[in-house]
Amino acid sequence: EIVLTQSPGTLSLSPGERATLSCRASQRIGTTYLAWYQQKPGQAPRLLIYGASSRATGIPDRFSGSGSGTDFTLTISRLEPEDFAVYYCQQYASSRTFGQGTKVEIK
Amino acid sequence: EVQLLESGGGLVQPGGSLRLSCAASGFTFSKYAMSWVRQAPGKGLEWVSAVNGGGRSTYYADSVKGRFTISRDNSKNTLYLQMNSLRAEDTAVYYCAKDTAYYYDSSGYYLNWGQGTLVTVSS
């Protein structure tokens, strides 16, 4: 099973700041088999990024994904108030697994 | 508009059974693989199971293999998850999610999710 490790566990930032979230895989998953989701309390996850760097329909361009192999990054260029949430990465190179999540909280 | 509506959750004793349903609309149901993903209270997401568009090929996480059965009725646009021998660690919100292709192996991420149904396993 491919294990995804996200860091940090919690990111405390202010609106307008840049957020950088990391997702590391226990084995190589190529350049296209990685997705990112945002989840707010009481809601289902929302797809942000697929194929490591492609934004889903309707996702603002302040969200960007990058990386390949075992190391991937989700960047939020300037945090808006609605961006404070939990973010998960997910691999689909071999079965499907999720990372444990990174909480982006207001500082 | 794609809509996925789960039902069937509730309180069940350890060792008991429950069947979840997911009613789909807004797309050609039989053309897409479908999955179940769960989330224990306060925890992260866990992929549980998937089924190809035709319903013949199924896939399971090791944690539920042999206890859960995924199926679909394309004539009713409905996905099911039969859960047997339930354990306390199966307590979670269960989401159904639409895959991006007919075959599980050709897809992998989830654009569309239901609102979830809570399963609580407790005596």
Side-chain angles (χ1 to χ4, degrees), chain B residues 72-88:
Chain B
R72 62 193 296 160
D73 185 336
N74 286 343
S75 70
K76 296 181 178 180
N77 289 350
T78 302
L79 176 72
Y80 302 101
L81 186 67
Q82 177 67 44
M83 303 185 295
N84 299 331
S85 303
L86 283 161
R87 307 166 179 167

mmCIF file of all heavy atoms in Angstrom, chain B residues 72-88:
data_model
loop_
_atom_site.group_PDB
_atom_site.id
_atom_site.type_symbol
_atom_site.label_atom_id
_atom_site.label_comp_id
_atom_site.label_asym_id
_atom_site.label_seq_id
_atom_site.Cartn_x
_atom_site.Cartn_y
_atom_site.Cartn_z
ATOM 1 N N ARG B 72 -24.203 -2.612 -7.576
ATOM 2 C CA ARG B 72 -24.942 -1.517 -8.182
ATOM 3 C C ARG B 72 -26.100 -2.073 -8.993
ATOM 4 O O ARG B 72 -26.037 -3.188 -9.506
ATOM 5 C CB ARG B 72 -24.019 -0.665 -9.064
ATOM 6 C CG ARG B 72 -23.399 -1.383 -10.227
ATOM 7 C CD ARG B 72 -22.269 -0.556 -10.857
ATOM 8 N NE ARG B 72 -22.773 0.682 -11.436
ATOM 9 C CZ ARG B 72 -21.985 1.742 -11.699
ATOM 10 N NH1 ARG B 72 -20.706 1.688 -11.448
ATOM 11 N NH2 ARG B 72 -22.511 2.833 -12.244
ATOM 12 N N ASP B 73 -27.142 -1.278 -9.118
ATOM 13 C CA ASP B 73 -28.281 -1.610 -9.965
ATOM 14 C C ASP B 73 -28.397 -0.478 -10.976
ATOM 15 O O ASP B 73 -28.910 0.609 -10.641
ATOM 16 C CB ASP B 73 -29.552 -1.749 -9.125
ATOM 17 C CG ASP B 73 -30.750 -2.221 -9.936
ATOM 18 O OD1 ASP B 73 -30.755 -2.017 -11.178
ATOM 19 O OD2 ASP B 73 -31.683 -2.777 -9.337
ATOM 20 N N ASN B 74 -27.897 -0.701 -12.176
ATOM 21 C CA ASN B 74 -27.886 0.371 -13.166
ATOM 22 C C ASN B 74 -29.291 0.727 -13.648
ATOM 23 O O ASN B 74 -29.509 1.832 -14.134
ATOM 24 C CB ASN B 74 -26.987 -0.008 -14.337
ATOM 25 C CG ASN B 74 -25.509 0.080 -13.976
ATOM 26 O OD1 ASN B 74 -25.136 0.704 -12.974
ATOM 27 N ND2 ASN B 74 -24.667 -0.554 -14.774
ATOM 28 N N SER B 75 -30.226 -0.184 -13.491
ATOM 29 C CA SER B 75 -31.606 0.136 -13.880
ATOM 30 C C SER B 75 -32.253 1.098 -12.892
ATOM 31 O O SER B 75 -33.209 1.793 -13.230
ATOM 32 C CB SER B 75 -32.433 -1.142 -13.983
ATOM 33 O OG SER B 75 -32.654 -1.715 -12.710
ATOM 34 N N LYS B 76 -31.721 1.138 -11.685
ATOM 35 C CA LYS B 76 -32.244 2.031 -10.650
ATOM 36 C C LYS B 76 -31.296 3.177 -10.341
ATOM 37 O O LYS B 76 -31.574 3.973 -9.427
ATOM 38 C CB LYS B 76 -32.528 1.242 -9.367
ATOM 39 C CG LYS B 76 -33.620 0.193 -9.507
ATOM 40 C CD LYS B 76 -33.868 -0.523 -8.193
ATOM 41 C CE LYS B 76 -34.992 -1.543 -8.329
ATOM 42 N NZ LYS B 76 -35.248 -2.267 -7.057
ATOM 43 N N ASN B 77 -30.182 3.250 -11.040
ATOM 44 C CA ASN B 77 -29.177 4.299 -10.789
ATOM 45 C C ASN B 77 -28.774 4.351 -9.318
ATOM 46 O O ASN B 77 -28.684 5.430 -8.705
ATOM 47 C CB ASN B 77 -29.704 5.672 -11.223
ATOM 48 C CG ASN B 77 -29.809 5.818 -12.731
ATOM 49 O OD1 ASN B 77 -29.319 4.969 -13.490
ATOM 50 N ND2 ASN B 77 -30.455 6.869 -13.182
ATOM 51 N N THR B 78 -28.545 3.182 -8.761
ATOM 52 C CA THR B 78 -28.269 3.108 -7.326
ATOM 53 C C THR B 78 -27.048 2.234 -7.042
ATOM 54 O O THR B 78 -26.895 1.166 -7.621
ATOM 55 C CB THR B 78 -29.492 2.571 -6.559
ATOM 56 O OG1 THR B 78 -30.614 3.416 -6.816
ATOM 57 C CG2 THR B 78 -29.219 2.552 -5.056
ATOM 58 N N LEU B 79 -26.221 2.721 -6.139
ATOM 59 C CA LEU B 79 -25.038 2.018 -5.644
ATOM 60 C C LEU B 79 -25.335 1.518 -4.244
ATOM 61 O O LEU B 79 -26.027 2.191 -3.469
ATOM 62 C CB LEU B 79 -23.860 2.996 -5.615
ATOM 63 C CG LEU B 79 -22.535 2.506 -5.035
ATOM 64 C CD1 LEU B 79 -21.872 1.515 -5.992
ATOM 65 C CD2 LEU B 79 -21.612 3.694 -4.767
ATOM 66 N N TYR B 80 -24.789 0.350 -3.907
ATOM 67 C CA TYR B 80 -25.021 -0.234 -2.582
ATOM 68 C C TYR B 80 -23.704 -0.602 -1.910
ATOM 69 O O TYR B 80 -22.684 -0.839 -2.567
ATOM 70 C CB TYR B 80 -25.874 -1.498 -2.697
ATOM 71 C CG TYR B 80 -27.215 -1.289 -3.356
ATOM 72 C CD1 TYR B 80 -27.419 -1.637 -4.686
ATOM 73 C CD2 TYR B 80 -28.274 -0.733 -2.646
ATOM 74 C CE1 TYR B 80 -28.650 -1.446 -5.303
ATOM 75 C CE2 TYR B 80 -29.517 -0.540 -3.253
ATOM 76 C CZ TYR B 80 -29.684 -0.894 -4.585
ATOM 77 O OH TYR B 80 -30.904 -0.698 -5.190
ATOM 78 N N LEU B 81 -23.763 -0.673 -0.586
ATOM 79 C CA LEU B 81 -22.666 -1.244 0.193
ATOM 80 C C LEU B 81 -23.290 -2.091 1.291
ATOM 81 O O LEU B 81 -23.900 -1.556 2.224
ATOM 82 C CB LEU B 81 -21.764 -0.165 0.784
ATOM 83 C CG LEU B 81 -20.518 -0.697 1.484
ATOM 84 C CD1 LEU B 81 -19.556 -1.340 0.475
ATOM 85 C CD2 LEU B 81 -19.788 0.407 2.262
ATOM 86 N N GLN B 82 -23.153 -3.398 1.165
ATOM 87 C CA GLN B 82 -23.614 -4.324 2.184
ATOM 88 C C GLN B 82 -22.490 -4.521 3.183
ATOM 89 O O GLN B 82 -21.398 -4.946 2.803
ATOM 90 C CB GLN B 82 -24.025 -5.661 1.569
ATOM 91 C CG GLN B 82 -24.446 -6.707 2.589
ATOM 92 C CD GLN B 82 -25.738 -6.345 3.304
ATOM 93 O OE1 GLN B 82 -26.691 -5.913 2.678
ATOM 94 N NE2 GLN B 82 -25.777 -6.549 4.612
ATOM 95 N N MET B 83 -22.742 -4.190 4.437
ATOM 96 C CA MET B 83 -21.712 -4.255 5.469
ATOM 97 C C MET B 83 -22.116 -5.301 6.497
ATOM 98 O O MET B 83 -23.151 -5.160 7.166
ATOM 99 C CB MET B 83 -21.553 -2.888 6.129
ATOM 100 C CG MET B 83 -21.225 -1.772 5.138
ATOM 101 S SD MET B 83 -20.890 -0.206 5.934
ATOM 102 C CE MET B 83 -22.471 0.147 6.644
ATOM 103 N N ASN B 84 -21.305 -6.336 6.618
ATOM 104 C CA ASN B 84 -21.543 -7.409 7.577
ATOM 105 C C ASN B 84 -20.426 -7.455 8.611
ATOM 106 O O ASN B 84 -19.368 -6.846 8.415
ATOM 107 C CB ASN B 84 -21.628 -8.759 6.860
ATOM 108 C CG ASN B 84 -22.760 -8.829 5.863
ATOM 109 O OD1 ASN B 84 -23.795 -8.166 6.015
ATOM 110 N ND2 ASN B 84 -22.590 -9.632 4.824
ATOM 111 N N SER B 85 -20.664 -8.170 9.681
ATOM 112 C CA SER B 85 -19.654 -8.337 10.748
ATOM 113 C C SER B 85 -19.050 -6.996 11.144
ATOM 114 O O SER B 85 -17.828 -6.836 11.249
ATOM 115 C CB SER B 85 -18.549 -9.300 10.293
ATOM 116 O OG SER B 85 -19.075 -10.548 9.921
ATOM 117 N N LEU B 86 -19.909 -6.045 11.385
ATOM 118 C CA LEU B 86 -19.443 -4.686 11.673
ATOM 119 C C LEU B 86 -18.695 -4.600 12.988
ATOM 120 O O LEU B 86 -19.021 -5.295 13.968
ATOM 121 C CB LEU B 86 -20.627 -3.714 11.651
ATOM 122 C CG LEU B 86 -21.087 -3.345 10.234
ATOM 123 C CD1 LEU B 86 -22.496 -2.775 10.237
ATOM 124 C CD2 LEU B 86 -20.113 -2.373 9.593
ATOM 125 N N ARG B 87 -17.696 -3.732 12.998
ATOM 126 C CA ARG B 87 -16.840 -3.521 14.160
ATOM 127 C C ARG B 87 -16.903 -2.054 14.578
ATOM 128 O O ARG B 87 -17.285 -1.196 13.777
ATOM 129 C CB ARG B 87 -15.395 -3.873 13.804
ATOM 130 C CG ARG B 87 -15.205 -5.251 13.202
ATOM 131 C CD ARG B 87 -13.831 -5.362 12.574
ATOM 132 N NE ARG B 87 -13.599 -6.690 12.006
ATOM 133 C CZ ARG B 87 -12.593 -6.973 11.188
ATOM 134 N NH1 ARG B 87 -11.734 -6.020 10.848
ATOM 135 N NH2 ARG B 87 -12.451 -8.200 10.714
ATOM 136 N N ALA B 88 -16.470 -1.778 15.781
ATOM 137 C CA ALA B 88 -16.469 -0.399 16.266
ATOM 138 C C ALA B 88 -15.652 0.508 15.343
ATOM 139 O O ALA B 88 -16.012 1.669 15.105
ATOM 140 C CB ALA B 88 -15.922 -0.346 17.687
#
